[in-house]
Amino acid sequence: IGIPAGTASSGDPQEDFDGSGQCWLTGPPLGEDVDGGPTRLKSPVFDLSDANNAYITYARWFTNDDQDLDTLNVQISDNNGLFWTTVENVSDTVGWVEQRIKVADCAAMTSTVRMRFSAKDFPNNSETEAALDAFKIIDYECETTVTCTKGDVNQDAFVDSLDIQMFADLLVNG
């Protein structure tokens, strides 16, 4: 973890994503990129066995000036890293990209969930930079006194045109 010190020409971020001043990155010294690899960042183990509807969110940065085979591979494990499932394979992006992953779509909700981010530059022939920031686990649940009905945006117990209007309003106005 470090303070980004990139320049527009080197491919690494000039600043972190969430404004804290730091992020995980492949090399804070100017001009130090991924060579060979993979360079890996593994999360600690998370206990999601009691989670209802867990999502993992993060912001990622990955540049590859040659746009060749170099990638940032994002994986999840539900057995403490014994086996990994690929969530995404990123070849190149422009700036920070926010991601949101529903854990149940790619792993079981166990007491041994981990994430792994692997960046590589192989063969060592390009400027390849990776960074990660704003990593969070969010668990959504409906209150037991509320009936959650798919599509009922305004929660009036009906799915109708009023829901479309409210959705459009929320989309435009927040």
Side-chain angles (χ1 to χ4, degrees), residues 30-147:
L30 190 60
E32 184 178 321
D33 72 318
V34 174
D35 288 328
T39 296
R40 290 194 169 126
L41 175 65
K42 290 182 193 175
S43 75
V45 175
F46 300 110
D47 183 354
L48 301 181
S49 59
D50 290 331
N52 293 297
N53 196 15
Y55 284 80
I56 294 176
T57 65
Y58 55 90
R60 63 166 161 75
W61 176 288
F62 187 75
T63 57
N64 169 11
D65 69 344
D66 291 345
Q67 296 185 6
D68 54 11
L69 300 176
D70 303 336
T71 58
L72 173 66
N73 187 260
V74 180
Q75 298 174 307
I76 191 168
S77 172
D78 57 17
N79 54 22
N80 197 23
L82 188 60
F83 298 103
W84 295 95
T85 300
T86 299
V87 173
E88 65 174 333
N89 229 344
V90 181
S91 58
D92 185 56
T93 61
V94 177
W96 286 102
V97 175
E98 290 181 89
Q99 286 298 95
R100 180 177 164 202
I101 299 162
K102 185 175 182 178
V103 175
D105 287 349
C106 45
M109 304 280 261
T110 68
S111 62
T112 56
V113 174
R114 296 184 85 171
M115 293 290 294
R116 178 169 75 178
F117 301 83
S118 304
K120 70 179 178 83
D121 178 13
F122 186 80
N124 180 17
N125 62 350
S126 59
E127 287 289 322
T128 303
E129 300 284 355
L132 179 75
D133 203 7
F135 185 93
K136 291 184 242 177
I137 296 177
I138 303 167
D139 187 21
Y140 295 101
E141 71 177 86
C142 288
E143 296 177 21
T144 56
T145 59
V146 176
T147 302

